[in-house]
Amino acid sequence: MAAMPPGESSGEGGCWHARSVEEAVLGLGADPVAGLSDDEAAARLRRHGENRLPETPGKPALVRFVEQLVQPLVLVLIAAGTVTAFLGEWVDAGVIFGVVIVNAVIGYVQEGKAEAALAALAKSLAAETMVLRGGDRQRLGAHVLVPGDTVLLAAGDRVPADLRLVEAHGLQAMEASLTGESTAVEKHTGVLPQDTLLADRGNMAYAGTLVVSGQATGVVAATGLATETGRISRLIAAAPDLQTPLTRKMAAFSNWLLLVIGGLALLTFGVGLMRGEAPFDMFMAAVALAVGAIPEGLPAAVTITLAIGVSRMAKRRAIIRKLPAVEALGSTTVICSDKTGTLTENEMTVRALWAGGDLHAVSGSGYAPEGVIGEKDFPPAIDGALRELLLAGVLCNDAGLSRREGRWQIAGDPTEGALLVVARKAGLDERTLQALFPRRDVLPFDSVVQYMATLHEIEGVPMVYAKGAVERLLPRCTTMLAADGRELPFDAATVERQAEALAAHGYRVLAFARRVGGDELSHAALATGLVFIGLVGMIDPPRPRAIGAVKACHAAGVRVKMITGDHAVTAEAIARQLGIAGEGARVLTGRELAALDDAALAKAAHEVDVFARVEPEQKLRLVQALQRNGEVVAMTGDGVNDAPALKSADIGVAMGLAGTDVARESAAMVLTDDNFASIEAAVEEGRGVYDNLVKFITWTLPTNFGEGLVIVAAILAGATLPITPLQILWINMTTAVLLGLMLAFEPVEKGLMHRPPRPPQAPILDRLLIGRIVLVSVLLLLGAYGLFLNELRQGHTLAEARTVAVNVFVVVETCYLFNCRSLTRSFVAVGLFSNPWVWVGSGLMLGLQLLMTYLPTMNRVFGTAPIGVAEWVAIAACGLLAAMVVGVEKRWRGR
């Protein structure tokens, strides 16, 4: 392969994993022995730039604030305020514009950090690293690294750039945040095929990943944006900010509302002119109609209902970063979940021990040493081959186990940590055993031989313990331990069958062996003559609550898909345990996805529920394919590799505990307990929020339409307006706050999670609700206008007649409010006092109406006048009649 110009080849285009060490060193102009000279490094730094990810400047604060004001609903509110100011009613205009400002501030605060993902990604690169420069080892800031630099890695280091390894001694790296691989990845220096997937490139170390064991030397192949982390950064930047289902529907609804209001106002103005009315009077009438028809309280109601949803979700361990995301989960039809850390514990756990021909199940999950070996009531004796297996797992081990801040944690390789935990479950403490049988020598894990060995002295006799890949240790064994500890001839076929059976469950299988006697510890000395001890099967187990949550999602009509970077066998096993996939379900790998065109991908995205060995771009493609299929997609994840898909999904859900900053900043929602079960709870709350918004809209629109109809009727009849623009504003603003907003506190109705998801294209209001709105609007017209005319016929003043009309609107709205507590059932069925705020709001509203009717100051301001008992009886009758009619309509439609 032809060498590339020294120091000029950086980035993905180099395919460094497909080149030999010599070709990579030559192509990168590197010197693994002495490193680059300071002058050459400085020249390359000028050429390639610093090893940083650029922080894309976010939108200016003023622009973000103004964007809150140009949403259709807010424009409706601004129109109402402008009309009110035009009428000279400065107090009312101030109130309306105050609502606009409050809406904007809430949205601004909620979304202020939405564009911080790239900044968080930049911080994920290492701060300092050990580098060879001019023959000397130097600790330099990672930002000054250049292609061709030689970097020295050791356990605990964070990889500072993408490296092609030129030497590796037992190096293992945790790459879960980049690839989704749940266990430490063994590294080597060999050559790999060019089409090797990112997660399988064992001869590369990638920026931002963590070294957990061993040492290595690597030459820098890519820095900054040219790294794999940088490639993900570009995907995040390119991913559009999608509107949620609610914002899309509310925008369409608001535009429709504006057209209807504008059309009615023009119609009113035109009809009046045709009847010979004065243009100014008709203009004022049209203004009154517009003020009446605009639902001034709707934007505030939406914002406050969503904010209440934020509070409820926080109590259920879901933190909302973007306000409309509250409802988006309620619209979700598909949840695409990462496996590691979301559906699973992200803590390797031993589930099976095979020693002396006996298989022992192990209970418990995670790093907490809670659980038992075998049956709880009949535990096996911890002796013979079983004890020797546990002892080997503790002594041939470099990890540590400790309890910090009330939580068990491991230091080192998660696989080795799991061996310490299972030993604790058997009553074997690793610190005691390591003190009794100290290590004399060690052969670190090597990717070539694929095993590790340690030398100890036990009761004065040298003892070697080895652990590693089944296929590498078994050929070295000549005998095996029986259950009682006796040595028997080695039965390789039986051991291999058992190893295959454990692997079929998705377990990672390790073999253990020992050698008694001999002070030499070398690969040659371990080539034969080992005593086979047993097998250990471990897995990153499903979260117990996740199983029930998946079942609940399925009952709610929400499909759950697993998209992981882990191996296909492991993914399938976990998916079966969770109920995501059945026996023999199809699993698609990243390599198979890469071969699909968009049409085939859309079909696969619909039909398949488990995707394994998936790379960041493929997660993004899957989310987008589902969206093209008309799905509302929630995507969960915790790693850097999940961030592009999190941002592109209808709602991105990141993990708060184990998640990276990048994932959290790209998501609309963060789970504080990293538990999939919290997503199911959030879906329920999201559906409840949407229900309450629909209830509010169903409640408020009859008032607006009724006011509009009353004004149109008066104009068509050539009569005086029954209600003035100022009275309309009073009705709309006070009832929206004291009555309508009380619906935001409605608890989730029973059976909510047994409904199918709403069709993504379904409008906010269906035909049934539109019919109910029209029905109540007509009832308001008949009640308010009828009593208004009746008052005038009886010789009452215009002020008294208008006071009656205003009170009809308020009382009917109050009675209808109880109808709207459930859109399908009687309010008695949902519990008379399950939402006490409805009673509080109704009481306050009626109190205000008494003040408006009888307080002289308010009479002067609003043009009202005191009315008698007979009028109140008629008003109450209108309210009760409206509530009864809607109740009958519900029952009739529900047959």
Side-chain angles (χ1 to χ4, degrees):
M1 186 179 292
M4 303 187 76
E8 291 298 329
S9 180
S10 171
E12 306 116 284
C15 292
W16 301 110
H17 62 278
R19 302 189 185 196
S20 68
V21 169
E22 294 76 15
E23 289 172 332
V25 167
L26 184 62
L28 290 163
D31 183 350
V33 178
L36 300 176
S37 67
D38 290 338
D39 290 342
E40 177 61 23
R44 295 189 185 189
L45 186 63
R46 288 192 296 271
R47 206 153 49 229
H48 294 282
E50 290 191 343
N51 180 33
R52 300 182 190 271
L53 298 180
E55 294 188 23
T56 304
K59 294 176 183 176
L62 180 61
V63 172
R64 289 210 315 271
F65 186 77
V66 170
E67 284 181 347
Q68 308 299 321
L69 301 176
V70 296
Q71 299 172 25
L73 275 175
V74 180
L75 290 176
V76 171
L77 206 54
I78 291 173
T82 303
V83 171
T84 309
F86 179 80
L87 292 172
E89 301 296 338
W90 303 110
V91 174
D92 299 281
V95 170
I96 294 174
F97 284 121
V99 172
V100 170
I101 297 300
V102 169
N103 277 334
V105 169
I106 291 174
Y108 174 83
V109 169
Q110 287 287 337
E111 298 179 11
K113 296 181 180 180
E115 297 302 321
L118 297 178
L121 189 56
K123 294 175 187 174
S124 71
L125 297 179
E128 288 191 340
T129 191
M130 188 67 72
V131 186
L132 275 177
R133 285 272 178 93
D136 297 323
R137 292 187 175 202
Q138 304 179 37
R139 196 152 192 87
L140 300 177
H143 65 282
V144 301
L145 290 182
V146 295
D149 257 328
T150 300
V151 175
L152 308 175
L153 295 176
D157 288 347
R158 190 168 291 279
V159 181
D162 285 2
L163 309 179
R164 173 59 166 94
L165 300 178
V166 296
E167 287 183 26
H169 304 286
L171 190 78
Q172 292 186 306
M174 285 299 296
E175 298 181 342
S177 67
L178 184 65
T179 66
E181 175 72 63
S182 58
T183 58
V185 178
E186 301 157 5
K187 297 295 182 178
H188 59 84
T189 60
V191 181
L192 295 170
Q194 188 162 327
D195 63 350
T196 302
L197 294 175
L198 179 67
D200 296 323
R201 295 177 190 171
N203 58 8
M204 300 287 294
Y206 290 107
T209 59
L210 184 67
V211 177
V212 294
S213 66
Q215 301 85 35
T217 302
V219 292
V220 175
T223 59
L225 277 174
T227 63
E228 289 297 328
T229 302
R231 182 169 58 85
I232 293 172
S233 166
R234 296 196 298 274
L235 288 174
I236 296 173
D241 284 315
L242 294 182
Q243 287 187 313
T244 67
L246 177 67
T247 54
R248 288 195 295 266
K249 290 176 182 178
M250 290 306 287
F253 177 71
S254 302
N255 292 333
W256 173 81
L257 203 56
L258 283 171
L259 287 173
V260 170
I261 292 169
L264 279 175
L266 287 173
L267 179 63
T268 301
F269 185 73
V271 169
L273 289 181
M274 290 171 61
R275 293 175 58 86
E277 302 287 348
F280 179 77
D281 291 342
M282 286 304 94
F283 175 74
M284 294 306 294
V287 165
L289 188 147
V291 171
I294 292 174
E296 290 89 350
L298 186 53
V302 171
T303 302
I304 293 170
T305 303
L306 292 176
I308 290 170
V310 168
S311 175
R312 286 180 173 178
M313 286 187 179
K315 293 175 183 175
R316 301 184 76 168
R317 304 184 182 278
I319 303 299
I320 300 297
R321 296 185 61 252
K322 299 177 183 178
L323 206 55
V326 178
E327 179 277 333
L329 267 174
S331 308
T332 300
T333 59
V334 175
I335 298 175
C336 295
S337 180
D338 182 36
K339 175 184 72 68
T340 307
T342 308
L343 292 166
T344 65
E345 299 278 8
N346 197 20
E347 296 180 348
M348 291 298 288
T349 303
V350 173
R351 281 293 171 84
L353 301 168
W354 190 77
D358 296 325
L359 181 65
H360 306 280
V362 183
S363 63
S365 292
Y367 298 142
E370 299 165 358
V372 297
I373 297 173
E375 295 291 334
K376 185 177 181 180
D377 297 328
F378 305 99
I382 307 300
D383 57 15
L386 179 58
R387 184 182 186 280
E388 196 69 3
L389 178 60
L390 294 168
L391 182 63
V394 169
L395 297 180
C396 190
N397 197 314
D398 288 326
L401 177 66
S402 61
R403 187 179 177 88
R404 297 177 188 171
E405 299 177 356
R407 190 177 180 193
W408 287 94
Q409 298 177 340
I410 61 107
D413 186 339
T415 298
E416 293 190 324
L419 295 172
L420 301 182
V421 174
V422 73
R424 289 263 191 127
K425 291 177 182 178
L428 303 178
D429 182 86
E430 71 278 2
R431 288 166 296 190
T432 303
L433 293 174
Q434 289 163 358
L436 286 173
F437 313 123
R439 183 182 294 183
R440 303 301 184 195
D441 200 358
V442 60
L443 283 177
F445 179 87
D446 188 292
S447 59
V448 176
V449 295
Q450 292 189 356
Y451 69 82
M452 170 188 180
T454 54
L455 173 64
H456 305 265
E457 187 173 309
I458 297 180
E459 297 178 355
V461 178
M463 181 78 76
V464 173
Y465 287 112
K467 77 167 187 292
V470 174
E471 64 273 16
R472 293 305 180 96
L473 275 187
L474 263 55
R476 301 169 186 269
C477 297
T478 53
T479 59
M480 64 188 294
L481 288 184
D484 59 6
R486 293 177 297 112
E487 289 190 17
L488 302 173
F490 184 51
D491 184 354
T494 298
V495 175
E496 287 170 359
R497 279 197 304 272
Q498 187 59 51
E500 290 171 1
L502 291 173
H505 285 86
Y507 294 155
R508 182 183 186 189
V509 184
L510 290 179
F512 289 79
R514 74 179 189 186
R515 188 197 68 193
V516 182
D519 292 327
E520 182 188 0
L521 184 59
S522 66
H523 293 301
L526 300 179
T528 188
L530 298 186
V531 181
F532 176 77
I533 302 173
L535 301 171
V536 173
M538 63 180 67
I539 197 168
D540 177 15
R543 292 178 179 268
R545 287 178 59 202
I547 298 172
V550 169
K551 186 176 180 180
C553 286
H554 287 163
V558 179
R559 295 184 66 186
V560 180
K561 295 179 181 290
M562 179 192 291
I563 304 178
T564 179
D566 213 340
H567 295 280
V569 173
T570 305
E572 183 185 6
I574 294 294
R576 282 201 311 270
Q577 293 178 49
L578 287 164
I580 291 175
E583 197 71 36
R586 184 183 177 196
V587 178
L588 271 182
T589 65
R591 191 181 297 278
E592 292 168 322
L593 285 175
L596 300 179
D597 59 23
D598 287 346
L601 180 67
K603 187 170 184 285
H606 175 71
E607 295 175 351
V608 179
D609 290 327
V610 184
F611 300 89
R613 229 58 182 149
V614 176
E615 299 195 353
E617 295 97 330
Q618 292 169 335
K619 289 189 177 187
L620 184 59
R621 280 188 73 203
L622 280 169
V623 167
Q624 292 171 340
L626 287 165
Q627 288 170 331
R628 285 194 297 273
N629 286 346
E631 307 284 2
V632 176
V633 182
M635 173 75 196
T636 78
D638 59 359
V640 173
N641 60 327
D642 298 316
L646 286 173
K647 189 177 179 188
S648 288
D650 293 282
I651 176 166
V653 182
M655 304 300 109
L657 294 176
T660 59
D661 286 344
V662 191
R664 286 193 290 268
E665 295 297 340
S666 295
M669 186 174 92
V670 178
L671 301 182
T672 60
D673 61 354
D674 290 12
N675 199 325
F676 184 86
S678 297
I679 302 175
E680 180 257 328
V683 168
E684 183 179 32
E685 289 293 347
R687 289 188 174 189
V689 165
Y690 188 85
D691 265 14
N692 290 347
L693 283 174
V694 174
K695 289 172 186 176
F696 177 86
I697 294 170
T698 305
W699 170 83
T700 194
L701 287 187
T703 305
N704 302 110
F705 291 166
E707 289 163 345
L709 289 175
V710 165
I711 292 167
V712 170
I715 291 169
L716 292 176
T720 306
L721 293 182
I723 44 178
T724 67
L726 185 56
Q727 290 168 345
I728 289 171
L729 278 172
W730 166 266
I731 295 170
N732 290 356
M733 297 302 291
T734 56
T735 57
V737 173
L738 293 177
L739 298 181
L741 285 181
M742 299 306 107
L743 291 172
F745 295 96
E746 280 295 319
V748 172
E749 290 191 44
K750 292 180 181 178
L752 190 66
M753 287 299 283
H754 293 288
R755 299 183 202 163
R758 296 185 309 278
Q761 304 307 319
I764 291 177
L765 299 174
D766 58 23
R767 290 182 179 179
L768 185 150
L769 294 181
I770 291 172
R772 187 175 301 164
I773 288 167
V774 171
L775 172 64
V776 179
S777 300
V778 171
L779 291 173
L780 279 167
L781 166 65
L782 296 175
Y785 197 41
L787 289 187
F788 171 78
L789 293 176
N790 186 59
E791 287 293 296
L792 292 179
R793 278 196 300 269
Q794 291 180 9
H796 291 286
T797 64
L798 179 60
E800 289 173 324
R802 282 178 169 168
T803 303
V804 170
V806 169
N807 280 301
V808 168
F809 272 98
V810 172
V811 171
V812 170
E813 282 186 84
T814 303
C815 294
Y816 180 49
L817 178 72
F818 287 87
N819 290 119
C820 290
R821 292 192 57 203
S822 174
L823 297 176
T824 56
R825 298 186 294 162
S826 163
F827 74 89
V828 177
V830 298
L832 279 174
F833 300 102
S834 59
N835 180 7
W837 291 106
V838 170
W839 294 96
V840 172
S842 299
L844 290 174
M845 187 68 241
L846 294 176
L848 274 181
Q849 282 308 111
L850 290 175
L851 292 175
M852 185 191 191
T853 303
Y854 295 107
L855 194 66
T857 302
M858 297 191 78
N859 292 157
R860 287 193 298 272
V861 172
F862 290 99
T864 55
I867 58 176
V869 175
E871 282 76 17
W872 281 113
V873 171
I875 291 167
C878 287
L880 292 173
L881 179 63
M884 290 173 60
V885 169
V886 173
V888 170
E889 179 259 353
K890 277 189 195 179
R891 183 178 290 271
W892 178 71
R893 290 185 182 273
R895 288 184 306 172

